[in-house]
């Protein structure tokens, strides 16, 4: 079960399930083995919605007749469902299972639609699958519409199980109201199929979480000419830049945008105040390292480097399908960018860099403690799902970021030893390391380097690697 196996994102089915469970009138038939039916377990403690998730298990490998029975049962029990999605688990994909053609009973008011997700394949990650699923739904339902009489936008945020998704949409909707701009739809969280149909009524699309809304908003731009605002709304500068872009797309006067920004800077955001008064004592001249998804890793890097003056030692992401775009954006505030899909690889970088502040996922907590770095787990995936959901985006998010950074750096840290000299791997040892399964490779590398240090060796040979094997 990849979602709990020490990796950063789940399998493709998890992304499909998250998008589908965010929407109304959508149901998923999950073709999987019994041990892969974990989504209902996560739904209660993480989503905290009443009832069960809109997911029905369907044993993999049972053929078209079994799937047809499951489809008919979903429609019988939930007659209001307008879209049925068939998602396959990793084991079903690895077994080569195809989704057979099945009959979907008609509905009196509007036709039901079946989505078979033919693009699913082994190795496809959760975030890329979520992006593809939402784009497929938008392509199917969005139709030409007249624009709303008053300026409005669509908000594309993170799907369900993200602890900040709803709070961040609330924060942006509050700011947009100050510009006189309405919200046509919030996607995918809480949107209906009718909302998807009416997406082209908005004047523009605001992409809060690129990982889920990239392909859908690109389609809306190409098909309906709808502008996209993609600036990460993290920090005061990023939020202001996004609001100015919204004002331009919605023909809002520059003076109105300027008044809103100045008011929020004076009354809500605390990051600029922190940067001017406190950061010289707590952050300037210190090394900051960032690792996470795309949106938060890039947005936090922009905010801390440009607004606070922090030196970003490096910034990394686990989303390999966004590697090119990530390197382009993160390269504007740090010279070192990378992609790593295993926590062990990130831990090695942390131990070698010894940053003063590490902003990353919850998987990096132990590495921060070993290196003596202050630690903020601000990037998804999150280990904590609080009852009070607070935004990290917008001007309220900028105030929370200032508090979090200041609090982390003021905590007393235990002194850390000097970073060990980076060992040299022989070609034979590297070849042997490549034979280790990918999900264990980072740990194997770390253990081999620790063993070499114990032996006082600077070169890691095949023998040392095999001696350190767990």
């Amino acid at each position: 079960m990849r979602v709990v196996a020490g990796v950063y994102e789940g399998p493709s089915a998890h992304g499909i399930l998250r998008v589908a469970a965010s929407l109304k009138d959508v149901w998923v038939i999950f073709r999987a083995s019994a041990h892969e039916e974990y989504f209902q377990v996560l739904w209660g403690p993480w989503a905290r919605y009443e009832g069960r998730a809109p997911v029905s298990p369907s044993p993999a490998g049972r053929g078209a007749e079994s799937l047809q029975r499951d489809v008919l049962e979903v429609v019988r029990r939930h007659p209001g469902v307008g879209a049925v999605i068939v998602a396959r688990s990793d084991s079903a994909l690895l077994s080569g299972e195809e989704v057979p053609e099945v009959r979907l009973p008609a509905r009196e008011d509007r036709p039901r639609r079946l989505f078979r997700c033919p693009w699913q394949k082994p190795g496809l990650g959760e975030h890329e699958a979520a992006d593809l699923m939402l784009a497929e739904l938008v392509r199917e339902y969005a139709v030409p519409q007249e624009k709303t009489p008053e300026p409005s936008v669509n908000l594309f945020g993170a799907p369900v199980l993200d602890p900040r998704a709803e709070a961040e949409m609330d924060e942006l909707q509050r700011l947009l109201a100050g510009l006189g701009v309405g919200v046509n739809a919030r996607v995918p969280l809480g949107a209906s199929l009718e909302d998807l149909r009416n997406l082209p009524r908005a004047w523009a699309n605001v992409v809060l979480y690129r990982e889920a809304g990239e392909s859908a908003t690109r389609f809306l731009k190409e098909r309906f000419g709808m502008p996209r605002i993609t600036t990460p709304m993290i920090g005061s500068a990023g939020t202001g830049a996004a609001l100015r872009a919204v004002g331009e797309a919605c023909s809002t006067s520059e003076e109105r945008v300027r008044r809103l920004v100045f008011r929020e800077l004076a009354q809500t955001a605390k990051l600029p105040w922190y940067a001017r008064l406190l950061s010289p004592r707590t952050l300037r001249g210190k090394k900051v390292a960032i690792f996470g998804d795309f949106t938060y890793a890039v947005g936090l890097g922009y905010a801390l480097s440009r607004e606070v003056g922090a030196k970003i030692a490096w910034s990394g992401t686990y989303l390999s399908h966004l590697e090119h775009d990530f390197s382009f954006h993160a390269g504007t505030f740090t010279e070192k960018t990378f992609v790593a899909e295993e926590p062990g690889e990130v831990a090695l970088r942390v131990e070698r860099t010894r940053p003063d502040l590490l902003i990353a996922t919850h998987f990096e907590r132990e590495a921060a403690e070993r290196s003596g770095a202050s630690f903020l787990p601000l990037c998804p995936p999150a280990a904590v799902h609080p009852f009070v959901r607070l935004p990290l985006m917008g001007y309220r998010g900028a105030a929370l970021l200032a508090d979090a950074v200041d609090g982390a750096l003021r905590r007393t840290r235990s002194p850390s030893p000097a970073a060990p000299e980076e060992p040299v791997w022989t070609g034979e040892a590297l070849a042997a390391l490549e034979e280790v399964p990918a999900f264990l490779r980072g740990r194997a590398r770390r253990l081999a380097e620790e063993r070499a240090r114990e032996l006082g060796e600077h070169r890691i040979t095949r023998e040392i690697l095999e001696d350190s094997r767990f």
Side-chain angles (χ1 to χ4, degrees):
M1 218 164 46
R2 289 182 64 191
V3 74
V4 294
V7 294
Y8 294 104
E9 58 173 348
S12 60
H14 191 62
I16 296 170
L17 290 165
R18 288 182 63 192
V19 167
S22 301
L23 297 164
K24 300 175 182 176
D25 310 325
V26 176
W27 202 273
V28 179
I29 294 177
F30 187 29
R31 301 283 280 184
S33 56
H35 70 277
E36 293 175 301
E37 297 169 11
Y38 56 81
F39 195 78
Q40 293 288 1
V41 177
L42 302 180
W43 180 257
W46 285 12
R48 297 191 176 123
Y49 294 144
E50 293 183 6
R52 292 170 61 81
V55 179
S56 295
S58 177
R62 296 284 182 91
E65 186 176 342
S66 171
L67 181 58
Q68 183 69 71
R69 284 197 304 269
D70 293 333
V71 168
L72 294 175
E73 183 66 12
V74 165
V75 171
R76 184 185 70 81
R77 292 190 174 209
H78 310 280
V81 166
V84 177
I85 298 171
V86 181
R88 290 163 289 170
S89 70
D90 269 6
S91 65
L93 291 169
L94 290 169
S95 70
E97 176 169 309
E98 300 290 338
V99 178
E101 293 283 355
V102 295
R103 180 178 60 85
L104 192 60
R107 196 168 58 163
E108 291 183 4
D109 51 350
R110 283 187 178 163
R112 291 190 177 93
R113 292 188 172 116
L114 180 71
F115 295 86
R116 301 165 63 209
C117 304
W119 38 263
Q120 261 196 289
K121 59 184 180 181
L124 185 70
E126 169 189 345
H127 290 83
E128 190 172 3
D131 179 63
L132 292 172
M133 186 72 255
L134 183 57
E136 185 173 356
L137 289 163
V138 170
R139 281 195 300 269
E140 181 67 27
Y141 285 99
V143 294
Q145 304 267 5
E146 290 187 4
K147 298 298 182 185
T148 56
E150 299 298 324
S152 67
V153 297
N154 300 315
L155 305 183
F156 282 79
V160 72
L161 302 187
D162 185 296
R164 297 194 193 99
E166 194 166 0
E168 291 183 336
M169 285 195 176
D170 289 344
E171 167 66 358
L172 181 52
Q173 191 161 347
R174 178 186 73 85
L175 295 172
L176 292 173
L179 295 179
V181 176
V183 173
N184 180 58
R186 292 164 50 144
V187 186
L189 200 58
S192 65
L193 298 180
E194 186 67 21
D195 290 330
L196 300 186
R197 191 172 287 107
N198 292 328
L199 287 174
R201 286 174 54 81
W203 293 31
N205 295 308
V206 180
V207 185
L208 295 181
Y209 198 61
R210 186 170 175 176
E211 290 82 337
E214 175 73 3
S215 297
T217 55
R218 282 190 179 277
F219 164 77
L220 291 170
K221 182 179 181 179
E222 294 166 4
R223 176 69 176 82
F224 303 103
M226 300 178 70
R228 298 192 325 144
I229 290 91
T230 59
T231 303
M233 297 186 66
I234 297 176
S236 301
T239 300
L243 290 176
R244 284 188 286 273
V246 170
E248 184 178 349
C250 294
S251 302
T252 304
S253 70
E254 293 182 7
E255 180 59 28
R256 185 167 187 174
V257 176
R258 190 180 300 112
R259 285 200 306 269
L260 172 68
V261 170
F262 285 171
R263 184 174 69 246
E264 290 293 324
L265 289 173
Q267 299 177 2
T268 308
K270 303 302 179 187
L271 191 62
W273 179 86
Y274 171 73
R276 288 182 176 87
L277 298 182
L278 290 179
S279 66
R281 297 201 305 269
T282 58
L283 191 56
R284 287 193 186 277
K286 295 187 177 180
K287 290 187 298 185
V288 178
I290 302 173
F291 184 83
D293 55 359
F294 182 96
T295 297
Y296 288 98
V298 169
L300 288 165
Y302 280 145
L304 293 178
S305 62
R306 296 176 181 179
E307 296 186 55
V308 183
K311 175 179 173 54
I312 311 299
W314 47 256
S315 182
T317 183
Y318 50 82
L319 298 175
S320 56
H321 69 287
L322 295 177
E323 179 177 6
H324 180 268
D325 285 353
F326 181 85
S327 297
F328 174 79
H329 289 281
T332 63
F333 56 78
T334 182
E335 295 180 356
K336 296 180 181 179
T337 65
F338 65 95
V339 171
E341 296 181 340
E342 293 299 325
E345 298 177 44
V346 184
L348 284 171
R349 287 182 180 267
V350 173
E351 291 173 14
R352 290 168 183 166
T353 307
R354 303 278 169 163
D356 297 287
L357 174 63
L358 175 63
I359 300 177
T361 78
H362 72 94
F363 287 113
E364 281 67 58
R365 184 180 299 277
E366 184 180 341
E369 291 174 354
R370 286 199 303 267
S371 65
S374 298
F375 178 63
L376 288 175
L378 297 181
C379 296
V384 178
H385 290 254
F387 284 99
V388 179
R389 309 292 174 91
L390 299 173
L392 194 58
M393 295 184 182
Y395 289 111
R396 287 177 175 167
L400 291 169
L401 178 59
D403 276 342
V405 170
D406 189 56
L409 288 170
R410 289 176 182 275
R411 296 188 194 107
T412 303
R413 298 184 301 156
S414 57
S416 54
E421 186 179 357
E422 187 172 341
V424 176
W425 284 71
T426 65
E428 189 180 32
L430 285 173
L433 185 64
E434 287 297 315
E435 297 173 3
V436 177
F439 68 96
L440 292 173
R441 201 169 294 150
R443 184 167 185 262
R445 176 186 283 272
R446 187 172 70 254
L447 290 175
E449 293 184 356
E450 289 175 357
R451 180 59 178 158
R453 285 194 289 271
E454 290 173 3
L455 297 173
E457 295 286 346
H458 180 60
R459 293 172 70 256
I460 296 179
T461 62
R462 184 186 186 101
E463 291 72 23
I464 290 177
L465 173 64
E466 292 176 350
D467 184 46
S468 68
R469 285 284 178 93
F470 41 92

